[in-house]
Amino acid sequence: MIQITIDGKNINARKGDNLVDVALANGVYIPTLCYMKGEPCLGTCRVCSVKVGGTVAAACTVPVSHGMEVVVNEPEITDMRKALVESLFAEGNHNCPSCEKSGRCDLQAVGYEVEMMVSRFEYRFTPRVRDYGSEKILLERDRCIFCQRCVEFVRDEETGKKIFSISRRGANSRIEINEELANKMTEEQVARAVDLCPVGTIVEKKIGFNDPIGKRKFDIKSIRDRALEGAMK
Amino acid sequence: MSNHSLKNVDPADNVMFSHDLPKTPVDAEFLATQEGKIKVSMIALVGCWGCTLSFLDMDERIFTLLDKVTILRSSLTDIKRIPERCVVGFVEGGVASEENIETLEHYRENCDILISVGACAVWGGVPSMRNMLPLSECLDEAYIHSITAVPGVIPIIPNHPDLTKVTTKVYPCHEVVKMDYFIPGCPPDGDAIYKVLDDLVNGRPVDLPTSMNRYD
Ligand code: SF4
Ligand code: SF4
Ligand code: FES
């Protein structure tokens, strides 16, 4: 056992455990978008930014060590996380009212948690082409936040080859789908991919707005409560 | 050629806007009771009027505010322009035309606190989906190659001086004038509008709790 502090509170933890999990187990919610408990950390979204020993770090990339001083909820870092979320909204075309993922979207749910009302950045309205090519999946490129969850955690069951990939660089980055491999995906695999995409980019064809407003995942319980509850299990 | 800008109408043009029509006089005794109350208005730019309906969805809770608030231009009254300076102005819809810019600027000049209500006012919403295309393509789709075009009629893009000019892009309100608060939602619930108004009227800092914040 080691000791760390989170927002000044003394906490016992196991050396090397993930800071996001340690915080959650002690009732402190840190928003995440690319991190999936139990999977290797991607560190791509930076939405989990906190201060560790005075320096800003992505909490999901931090294994805890003795004497670590962590600041999660203090105005400067809270606002930094909020700005990150706002920039994701400004960068993509996030038209929640017309999005199939609305109500079960991690980005939207995290937007609520950081109390985003509007983006402080200018909305870019970049035109992006959708990909209807594969049989079961529609790729709605407007909303991709390049978390790389699909790239890393969805693979062809036979060959282990990647089904999703990212082409080009910087502002021109584009999520791609390998049609041939995607068409081989089982129903369960498609459902998992849809679920694992934290936004509404990977959308299952022929299934639409199946849960009414008020009954959707995050209408029923917030992402914060779900995360905290998960940590208690 | 007449200039139908809201700012510079020449009376000699013999033009009258609906907001200049003679008003039905309001009972003087009633008017006196409204003196000193907080004046609130709501206008709509390019939206679907859903947010304005949410304003109505405050329902009977509005009565609990009426000893402190008087409602001028809004969907509850039939006042076409804000007749006097307001403390609180709600705006539905984004900016998509010259007329919208003028209306919003006029509103900014005449309101102490301006609040963006709903997805279109906050970030452009559905109308801003045209921002991904050149305006010429949108006009072409709407008027020249429209699927509802009347067969045999030569299609034209309307270009009359009486028509306001559309802007190349649709803008959220805060990219045109300063906005003080934002209530997201498409539309936001009446509860959210009520909460913000109730906070303002009672001098509390505006606080829309996460449980009431929705983007859809
Ligand atoms: S992906 Fe999420 S945040 Fe983006 S439009 Fe859809 S619901 Fe909204
Ligand atoms: S498609 Fe979804 S899961 Fe894949 S990188 Fe984009 S946001 Fe992440
Ligand atoms: S959740 Fe930590 S970087 Fe994405």
Side-chain angles (χ1 to χ4, degrees):
Chain A
M1 275 295 185
I2 55 152
Q3 274 83 50
I4 68 166
T5 68
I6 296 183
D7 293 337
K9 203 174 110 194
N10 291 321
I11 280 167
N12 293 325
R14 257 200 329 254
K15 187 173 171 5
D17 272 3
N18 185 294
L19 179 52
V20 168
D21 297 336
V22 172
L24 273 179
N26 289 279
V28 180
Y29 167 74
I30 303 173
T32 57
L33 285 176
C34 68
Y35 177 61
M36 289 174 84
K37 195 175 173 165
E39 300 282 5
C41 142
L42 302 166
T44 47
C45 75
R46 317 313 273 190
V47 160
C48 63
S49 292
V50 296
K51 277 189 192 164
V52 179
T55 311
V56 178
C60 72
T61 66
V62 176
V64 293
S65 62
H66 187 70
M68 201 173 247
E69 285 176 13
V70 181
V71 176
V72 178
N73 291 310
E74 171 241 65
E76 193 196 6
I77 194 73
T78 306
D79 189 57
M80 219 178 259
R81 285 196 295 269
K82 189 177 182 177
L84 272 156
V85 175
E86 288 172 9
S87 71
L88 292 175
F89 272 88
E91 204 268 338
N93 296 310
H94 292 280
N95 188 6
C96 296
S98 72
C99 180
E100 284 185 33
K101 200 67 175 268
S102 195
R104 51 194 179 115
C105 165
D106 293 4
L107 176 62
Q108 186 187 65
V110 162
Y112 298 152
E113 289 307 324
V114 300
E115 295 175 10
M116 181 185 97
M117 299 287 163
V118 64
S119 180
R120 71 191 73 177
F121 308 102
E122 218 172 286
Y123 300 100
R124 296 181 46 182
F125 297 112
T126 313
R128 294 202 184 82
V129 185
R130 279 164 207 92
D131 189 331
Y132 301 94
S134 77
E135 283 163 16
K136 297 166 209 153
I137 291 175
L138 159 68
L139 208 59
E140 169 53 277
R141 290 200 173 97
D142 275 339
R143 308 170 190 143
C144 179
I145 57 166
F146 302 103
C147 67
Q148 307 211 28
R149 276 183 175 190
C150 62
V151 178
E152 295 304 326
F153 308 137
V154 182
R155 292 186 186 246
D156 179 52
E157 284 174 357
E158 255 168 75
T159 59
K161 275 195 195 151
K162 288 185 177 175
I163 300 174
F164 297 90
S165 59
I166 292 168
S167 69
R168 314 189 198 182
R169 296 176 72 82
N172 298 318
S173 301
R174 236 172 78 143
I175 187 76
E176 306 286 354
I177 183 166
N178 178 321
E179 269 175 42
E180 203 180 308
L181 294 181
N183 292 346
K184 279 170 62 193
M185 285 167 80
T186 60
E187 303 261 300
E188 297 73 51
Q189 225 191 343
V190 171
R192 183 172 167 268
V194 170
D195 203 41
L196 137 170
C197 177
V199 291
T201 300
I202 302 176
V203 180
E204 182 168 4
K205 285 188 181 172
K206 296 182 191 156
I207 292 192
F209 299 82
N210 33 359
D211 296 320
I213 291 182
K215 298 251 163 74
R216 304 167 307 179
K217 184 175 172 187
F218 295 121
D219 295 340
I220 298 167
K221 197 176 282 174
S222 72
I223 197 165
R224 173 189 296 263
D225 288 348
R226 278 168 197 276
L228 288 168
E229 225 166 65
M232 297 306 150
K233 278 183 193 149
Chain B
M1 204 48 71
S2 66
N3 176 357
H4 283 191
S5 151
L6 289 179
K7 275 183 193 155
N8 331 295
V9 177
D10 183 352
D13 277 352
N14 200 19
V15 166
M16 191 181 265
F17 290 125
S18 58
H19 57 250
D20 295 328
L21 288 171
K23 295 184 196 85
T24 317
V26 182
D27 179 53
E29 231 172 86
F30 171 77
L31 272 186
T33 63
Q34 300 307 299
E35 276 309 312
K37 288 190 184 177
I38 297 169
K39 296 182 177 71
V40 175
S41 286
M42 176 150 191
I43 60 162
L45 304 175
V46 169
C48 70
W49 295 89
C51 301
T52 310
L53 287 176
S54 286
F55 189 81
L56 293 175
D57 278 342
M58 284 192 278
D59 297 332
E60 72 280 1
R61 280 169 300 177
I62 263 259
F63 294 123
T64 63
L65 291 178
L66 283 183
D67 53 345
K68 289 189 179 159
V69 162
T70 184
I71 297 171
L72 300 178
R73 178 182 171 157
S74 75
S75 37
L76 284 164
T77 58
D78 192 21
I79 299 170
K80 302 286 190 271
R81 296 195 89 183
I82 49 172
E84 53 191 306
R85 192 169 179 84
C86 285
V87 176
V88 184
F90 291 101
V91 185
E92 156 186 336
V95 172
S97 71
E98 273 184 3
E99 191 204 358
N100 290 157
I101 297 177
E102 283 175 14
T103 308
L104 186 57
E105 282 177 343
H106 173 257
Y107 208 45
R108 175 73 275 180
E109 282 161 20
N110 289 287
C111 291
D112 298 339
I113 297 167
L114 270 199
I115 307 172
S116 267
V117 185
C120 302
V122 172
W123 70 274
V126 170
S128 70
M129 285 165 124
R130 78 160 159 88
N131 288 3
M132 260 81 82
L133 301 166
L135 181 59
S136 55
E137 255 178 62
C138 300
L139 292 171
D140 184 273
E141 176 79 20
Y143 294 107
I144 307 295
H145 297 107
S146 161
I147 49 167
T148 55
V150 182
V153 174
I154 300 170
I156 53 154
I157 295 176
N159 182 25
H160 189 274
D162 277 2
L163 294 174
T164 179
K165 294 209 169 30
V166 288
T167 44
T168 341
K169 299 250 185 241
V170 175
Y171 300 95
C173 292
H174 65 273
E175 287 185 14
V176 178
V177 301
K178 178 183 181 290
M179 301 298 288
D180 300 289
Y181 297 105
F182 301 86
I183 311 177
C186 186
D189 286 337
D191 295 355
I193 300 177
Y194 176 78
K195 174 71 171 68
V196 169
L197 187 55
D198 191 47
D199 282 348
L200 285 168
V201 165
N202 291 297
R204 293 188 300 260
V206 172
D207 174 29
L208 191 64
T210 302
S211 59
M212 279 189 192
N213 188 6
R214 287 199 291 109
Y215 304 153
D216 62 358

